[in-house]
Short mmCIF file of all heavy atoms in Angstrom, two decimals:
data_model
loop_
_atom_site.label_atom_id
_atom_site.label_comp_id
_atom_site.label_asym_id
_atom_site.label_seq_id
_atom_site.Cartn_x
_atom_site.Cartn_y
_atom_site.Cartn_z
N THR A 2 -59.57 29.43 74.42
CA THR A 2 -59.63 28.05 74.02
C THR A 2 -58.16 27.75 73.39
O THR A 2 -57.70 28.64 72.79
CB THR A 2 -60.66 27.76 73.05
OG1 THR A 2 -60.57 28.66 71.95
CG2 THR A 2 -62.06 27.75 73.68
N ILE A 18 -47.73 27.82 72.34
CA ILE A 18 -47.53 26.48 71.76
C ILE A 18 -46.03 26.34 71.26
O ILE A 18 -45.46 27.42 70.89
CB ILE A 18 -48.43 26.31 70.50
CG1 ILE A 18 -48.28 24.93 69.85
CG2 ILE A 18 -48.25 27.43 69.54
CD1 ILE A 18 -49.38 24.75 68.73
N VAL A 70 -32.69 6.53 64.02
CA VAL A 70 -31.30 6.87 64.85
C VAL A 70 -30.29 6.62 63.77
O VAL A 70 -30.29 5.70 62.96
CB VAL A 70 -31.25 5.99 65.98
CG1 VAL A 70 -29.86 6.15 66.56
CG2 VAL A 70 -32.34 6.27 66.98
N HIS A 95 -17.62 -1.75 64.11
CA HIS A 95 -18.85 -1.24 64.52
C HIS A 95 -19.88 -2.33 64.79
O HIS A 95 -19.75 -3.41 64.18
CB HIS A 95 -19.43 -0.22 63.55
CG HIS A 95 -18.69 0.94 63.23
ND1 HIS A 95 -19.11 1.86 62.32
CD2 HIS A 95 -17.57 1.39 63.72
CE1 HIS A 95 -18.19 2.84 62.25
NE2 HIS A 95 -17.22 2.62 63.14
N ASP A 102 -29.77 -6.46 75.83
CA ASP A 102 -28.81 -5.89 76.85
C ASP A 102 -27.62 -5.28 76.35
O ASP A 102 -27.00 -4.56 77.03
CB ASP A 102 -28.47 -7.03 77.88
CG ASP A 102 -27.80 -8.24 77.13
OD1 ASP A 102 -27.50 -8.15 75.92
OD2 ASP A 102 -27.59 -9.27 77.85
N PHE A 132 17.44 -1.30 57.51
CA PHE A 132 16.85 -0.23 58.26
C PHE A 132 15.90 0.45 57.27
O PHE A 132 16.18 0.80 56.07
CB PHE A 132 17.88 0.76 58.79
CG PHE A 132 17.26 1.99 59.37
CD1 PHE A 132 17.05 1.97 60.66
CD2 PHE A 132 16.93 3.12 58.59
CE1 PHE A 132 16.38 3.21 61.25
CE2 PHE A 132 16.40 4.24 59.18
CZ PHE A 132 16.14 4.33 60.41
N VAL A 166 -18.39 0.77 69.25
CA VAL A 166 -17.33 1.02 68.26
C VAL A 166 -15.97 0.49 69.09
O VAL A 166 -15.75 0.80 70.24
CB VAL A 166 -17.18 2.53 68.08
CG1 VAL A 166 -15.87 2.78 67.19
CG2 VAL A 166 -18.30 3.12 67.24
N SER A 189 8.56 1.35 65.79
CA SER A 189 7.33 0.66 65.58
C SER A 189 6.28 1.11 66.52
O SER A 189 6.47 0.84 67.77
CB SER A 189 7.59 -0.84 65.79
OG SER A 189 8.12 -1.36 64.61
N ASP A 193 -3.15 7.24 68.32
CA ASP A 193 -4.47 7.55 68.04
C ASP A 193 -5.03 8.49 68.95
O ASP A 193 -4.84 8.52 70.25
CB ASP A 193 -5.30 6.19 68.24
CG ASP A 193 -6.86 6.54 67.84
OD1 ASP A 193 -7.55 6.93 68.77
OD2 ASP A 193 -7.22 6.39 66.78
N MET A 244 -42.48 -22.67 50.72
CA MET A 244 -41.56 -23.69 51.07
C MET A 244 -40.06 -23.23 50.93
O MET A 244 -39.87 -22.60 49.95
CB MET A 244 -41.81 -24.96 50.24
CG MET A 244 -43.21 -25.64 50.58
SD MET A 244 -43.35 -27.10 49.53
CE MET A 244 -43.84 -26.32 47.94
N VAL A 248 -30.74 -28.16 50.68
CA VAL A 248 -30.30 -29.43 50.14
C VAL A 248 -28.69 -29.34 50.16
O VAL A 248 -28.14 -28.40 49.91
CB VAL A 248 -30.78 -29.77 48.73
CG1 VAL A 248 -32.20 -30.07 48.85
CG2 VAL A 248 -30.54 -28.60 47.79
N HIS A 278 -21.41 -28.74 49.31
CA HIS A 278 -22.29 -27.96 48.49
C HIS A 278 -23.58 -27.89 49.28
O HIS A 278 -24.13 -28.98 49.63
CB HIS A 278 -22.57 -28.63 47.15
CG HIS A 278 -21.27 -29.14 46.56
ND1 HIS A 278 -21.08 -30.51 46.29
CD2 HIS A 278 -20.28 -28.53 45.91
CE1 HIS A 278 -19.97 -30.74 45.70
NE2 HIS A 278 -19.38 -29.43 45.50
N GLY A 297 -31.21 -33.27 42.94
CA GLY A 297 -30.14 -34.16 42.41
C GLY A 297 -28.98 -34.33 43.39
O GLY A 297 -28.82 -33.61 44.39
N THR A 312 -42.32 -25.98 55.42
CA THR A 312 -43.45 -25.15 54.86
C THR A 312 -43.81 -24.10 55.88
O THR A 312 -44.04 -24.24 56.98
CB THR A 312 -44.61 -26.02 54.52
OG1 THR A 312 -44.23 -27.09 53.56
CG2 THR A 312 -45.83 -25.31 54.10
N LEU A 326 -25.17 -17.28 54.31
CA LEU A 326 -24.49 -18.53 54.51
C LEU A 326 -23.17 -18.36 55.08
O LEU A 326 -22.40 -17.41 54.71
CB LEU A 326 -24.52 -19.40 53.26
CG LEU A 326 -25.86 -19.74 52.68
CD1 LEU A 326 -25.61 -20.68 51.48
CD2 LEU A 326 -26.92 -20.21 53.48
N PRO A 331 -13.09 -27.31 59.22
CA PRO A 331 -12.98 -28.28 60.20
C PRO A 331 -11.72 -28.08 60.92
O PRO A 331 -10.73 -27.62 60.35
CB PRO A 331 -12.98 -29.63 59.38
CG PRO A 331 -12.48 -29.29 58.01
CD PRO A 331 -13.06 -27.90 57.83
N LYS A 338 -17.88 -28.11 69.32
CA LYS A 338 -19.12 -28.53 69.20
C LYS A 338 -20.09 -27.44 68.52
O LYS A 338 -21.11 -27.81 67.96
CB LYS A 338 -19.72 -28.88 70.52
CG LYS A 338 -19.04 -30.03 71.20
CD LYS A 338 -19.55 -30.39 72.58
CE LYS A 338 -18.78 -31.57 73.21
NZ LYS A 338 -19.27 -31.76 74.49
N ILE A 345 -27.20 -11.28 60.71
CA ILE A 345 -27.56 -10.30 59.63
C ILE A 345 -28.67 -9.35 60.21
O ILE A 345 -29.26 -9.54 61.17
CB ILE A 345 -28.21 -11.09 58.39
CG1 ILE A 345 -29.40 -11.77 58.86
CG2 ILE A 345 -27.30 -12.03 57.77
CD1 ILE A 345 -30.33 -12.39 57.59
N ASN A 349 -37.23 -8.73 58.78
CA ASN A 349 -38.24 -9.63 58.58
C ASN A 349 -38.62 -10.38 59.83
O ASN A 349 -37.97 -10.25 60.78
CB ASN A 349 -37.77 -10.65 57.48
CG ASN A 349 -37.70 -9.98 56.20
OD1 ASN A 349 -38.16 -8.95 55.89
ND2 ASN A 349 -36.99 -10.76 55.25
N PHE A 357 -25.58 -27.50 58.43
CA PHE A 357 -25.15 -28.64 57.76
C PHE A 357 -23.76 -29.14 58.09
O PHE A 357 -22.87 -28.30 57.86
CB PHE A 357 -25.25 -28.45 56.23
CG PHE A 357 -25.02 -29.60 55.42
CD1 PHE A 357 -26.15 -30.47 54.91
CD2 PHE A 357 -23.77 -30.04 55.02
CE1 PHE A 357 -25.89 -31.50 54.09
CE2 PHE A 357 -23.43 -31.20 54.21
CZ PHE A 357 -24.69 -31.78 53.63
N ASP A 378 -33.95 -32.46 62.72
CA ASP A 378 -32.52 -32.70 63.05
C ASP A 378 -32.32 -34.18 62.60
O ASP A 378 -32.74 -35.14 63.08
CB ASP A 378 -32.42 -32.73 64.70
CG ASP A 378 -30.85 -32.89 65.06
OD1 ASP A 378 -30.11 -32.78 64.17
OD2 ASP A 378 -30.70 -33.34 66.15
N GLY A 381 -27.10 -38.60 59.07
CA GLY A 381 -26.66 -39.68 58.22
C GLY A 381 -25.38 -40.24 58.88
O GLY A 381 -25.08 -39.99 59.97
N LEU A 400 -24.94 -13.51 67.03
CA LEU A 400 -24.03 -14.70 66.72
C LEU A 400 -24.38 -15.77 67.58
O LEU A 400 -24.14 -15.81 68.88
CB LEU A 400 -22.57 -14.15 67.04
CG LEU A 400 -22.05 -13.06 66.10
CD1 LEU A 400 -20.76 -12.48 66.69
CD2 LEU A 400 -21.92 -13.59 64.66
#
Side-chain angles (χ1 to χ4, degrees):
Chain A
T2 54
I18 183 170
V70 173
H95 294 180
D102 56 7
F132 175 90
V166 172
S189 279
D193 178 272
M244 290 182 282
V248 290
H278 315 110
T312 297
L326 305 186
K338 294 177 180 174
I345 62 171
N349 289 346
F357 184 97
D378 186 21
L400 297 170

